[in-house]
Amino acid sequence: MSGAPISVGFIPLVDAAPLIIAREIGFAEEEGLDLKLAPAPSWSTLRDRLAMGQIEAAHMLFPMPVAAALGLGGFGTRIDILLVLSLNGNSIGVSRALAEKIRANGYEFDFTCAKRAGEALIAALDGPLRIGVPFPFSMHAEMLYHWLGALGLKAPQDLDVRTVPPPLMAEALAAGEIDAFCVGAPWGSIAVETGVGELLLPGTAIRANAPEKVLAVRHDWAEAEPGLTRRLMRATWLAGRWLARPENRGTAAEILALRDYLDLPAELIERSLTGELIISQRGELRRASGYLEFFEGAAAYPWASQAALVASRLAARMGLGREEAMAAARAICRTDLYRRNLADLGAEMPGAREKIEGAMTEPTAVATQSGKLILSPDAFFDGWIFDPSNP
């Protein structure tokens, strides 16, 4: 592969697909890049490599750059969000023992209703819920705090949230270190395949569409390398569009299954791409609509309101000034670069940087620079709404 070399870090997850596909299908090469993908064992390692300049860009949890903007986690480097790599893709799972208790109480794991699933989970607990998430500043943690908090389970007295790298989540469940988890695909399915857990709920049941992973770079690098930034954004966006086509899912699964990437069976990966998940060793199949989204509804657009929402919640938990936190988070969402670098590819350009988060229960038309765009529903299970102008 020829072109300008650029090193991008990733965690072995299905939602790293836009970067992997950009390299393997040739979008990066077409943009004049020699895209070098570097796996990392944990999110903290990936963050540190980006901060130290060992890599130029990273596949990153959406709240991580937001937390950095707020000065949380001992991380002082400004990280910008160039675009959103994926929406959704998470599942909540429980240990076999906890699943048996939940089933004995009459809950049938319908995989659709967050309220019923949460109430069934809480009713089966004997003490605080020990639940694994991949990183403290993650949408996994944010979803759990919102979902279980709305149903009366509060941290830290009722909720013990523990950090476990995604590839180790099933092992932690098997070892009895956690009772449950919220993790990205395909690692929830691995817990089912290995017989240590069952899937209780897809993340989409808690919120219809939530930003999950982003393409992140250091702010100073983006400013110093506008050409490379443009090429990287374009290759990644084109890969996301390719991934959105159903006829490409089989090929995508085969590529992601390669040893250099996830090193897992392609069939297991394809389940995540289609949203057809086996939730238990009984072979129970559940269909989760929109389980993992890379492109539709301007999925890649880095809404400043989404960053403001996460910042508002982090500020409330950490005792920070809310308005200052929201302003810092808004600044790292590079909608300016998105418009500048992707418009000629046909990327949909919303007419605003912000929207009321959680307000859409149905597909909704919004104004764009070229006409109208249909945004996907983004409602929370309990009807909660975040207005960035009046948080």
Side-chain angles (χ1 to χ4, degrees), residues 61-70 72 79-81 84 139 142 207 210-212 214 301-315 322-335 353-357 384 386 388 391:
L61 295 158
F62 181 78
M64 289 179 71
V66 176
L70 274 56
L72 297 173
I79 301 297
D80 284 352
I81 296 172
V84 176
M139 293 306 289
E142 294 304 319
R207 189 182 184 191
E212 178 55 34
V214 298
Y301 188 69
W303 292 97
S305 49
Q306 293 175 338
L309 187 163
V310 171
S312 175
R313 288 179 158 179
L314 289 175
R322 180 171 291 189
E323 291 298 328
E324 296 85 354
M326 289 170 57
R330 286 181 171 106
I332 66 170
C333 294
R334 299 303 301 271
T335 53
R353 294 190 76 227
E354 301 198 346
K355 59 186 173 70
I356 298 176
E357 297 291 333
W384 185 76
F386 175 81

Side-chain angles (χ1 to χ4, degrees), residues 151-289:
L151 298 175
L153 212 61
K154 305 296 184 183
Q157 60 269 33
D158 306 315
L159 193 58
D160 179 4
V161 179
R162 302 185 177 188
T163 300
V164 181
L168 302 180
M169 202 65 79
E171 292 180 25
L173 199 66
E177 296 168 4
I178 53 175
D179 309 305
F181 60 74
C182 181
V183 73
W187 298 105
S189 293
I190 293 294
V192 175
E193 289 295 303
T194 55
V196 301
E198 299 188 14
L199 299 185
L200 177 67
L201 204 64
T204 50
I206 298 172
R207 189 182 184 191
N209 276 290
E212 178 55 34
K213 302 301 189 308
V214 298
L215 179 60
V217 298
R218 295 185 310 281
H219 175 73
D220 58 359
W221 183 86
E223 296 300 296
E225 298 286 356
L228 288 178
T229 299
R230 175 182 171 86
R231 293 187 219 174
L232 179 61
M233 291 179 69
R234 292 166 70 86
T236 307
W237 184 88
L238 288 165
R241 185 174 68 177
W242 184 91
L243 282 160
R245 296 172 184 146
E247 64 270 23
N248 291 334
R249 287 171 181 160
T251 301
E254 293 287 347
I255 292 170
L256 293 172
L258 295 172
R259 181 171 295 182
D260 286 345
Y261 302 125
L262 272 65
D263 194 21
L264 292 169
E267 184 273 335
L268 192 66
I269 294 168
E270 192 165 2
R271 289 183 209 166
S272 302
L273 295 173
T274 62
E276 296 179 354
L277 302 176
I278 295 173
I279 67 164
S280 74
Q281 287 213 312
R282 297 172 177 82
E284 297 167 287
L285 182 67
R286 299 289 186 268
R287 167 72 180 167
S289 179

Side-chain angles (χ1 to χ4, degrees), residues 15-222:
D15 55 28
L19 294 167
I20 295 168
I21 293 301
R23 174 181 167 79
E24 295 294 333
I25 296 295
F27 296 112
E29 189 172 18
E30 289 172 7
E31 289 294 328
L33 291 179
D34 178 7
L35 185 58
K36 301 178 184 296
L37 298 180
S42 69
W43 291 112
S44 56
T45 300
L46 187 64
R47 175 198 63 191
D48 294 345
R49 288 177 181 173
L50 183 63
M52 293 186 290
Q54 295 175 354
I55 53 177
E56 282 79 46
H59 158 241
M60 190 169 276
L61 295 158
F62 181 78
M64 289 179 71
V66 176
L70 274 56
L72 297 173
F75 192 66
T77 304
R78 172 172 162 173
I79 301 297
D80 284 352
I81 296 172
L82 298 181
L83 52 79
V84 176
L85 291 175
S86 63
L87 308 179
N88 310 324
N90 296 318
S91 58
I92 292 99
V94 296
S95 68
R96 288 278 297 278
L98 192 50
E100 288 173 8
K101 285 186 179 181
I102 293 169
R103 289 181 184 274
N105 289 340
Y107 183 68
E108 298 181 352
F109 284 63
D110 63 18
F111 217 57
T112 57
C113 180
K115 183 175 186 294
R116 289 199 303 271
E119 290 172 344
L121 172 61
I122 292 169
L125 297 176
D126 294 324
L129 176 65
R130 301 172 304 159
I131 190 161
V133 300
F135 199 69
F137 304 124
S138 64
M139 293 306 289
H140 313 81
E142 294 304 319
M143 279 200 302
L144 290 174
Y145 288 133
H146 182 93
W147 172 47
L148 296 173
L151 298 175
L153 212 61
K154 305 296 184 183
Q157 60 269 33
D158 306 315
L159 193 58
D160 179 4
V161 179
R162 302 185 177 188
T163 300
V164 181
L168 302 180
M169 202 65 79
E171 292 180 25
L173 199 66
E177 296 168 4
I178 53 175
D179 309 305
F181 60 74
C182 181
V183 73
W187 298 105
S189 293
I190 293 294
V192 175
E193 289 295 303
T194 55
V196 301
E198 299 188 14
L199 299 185
L200 177 67
L201 204 64
T204 50
I206 298 172
R207 189 182 184 191
N209 276 290
E212 178 55 34
K213 302 301 189 308
V214 298
L215 179 60
V217 298
R218 295 185 310 281
H219 175 73
D220 58 359
W221 183 86

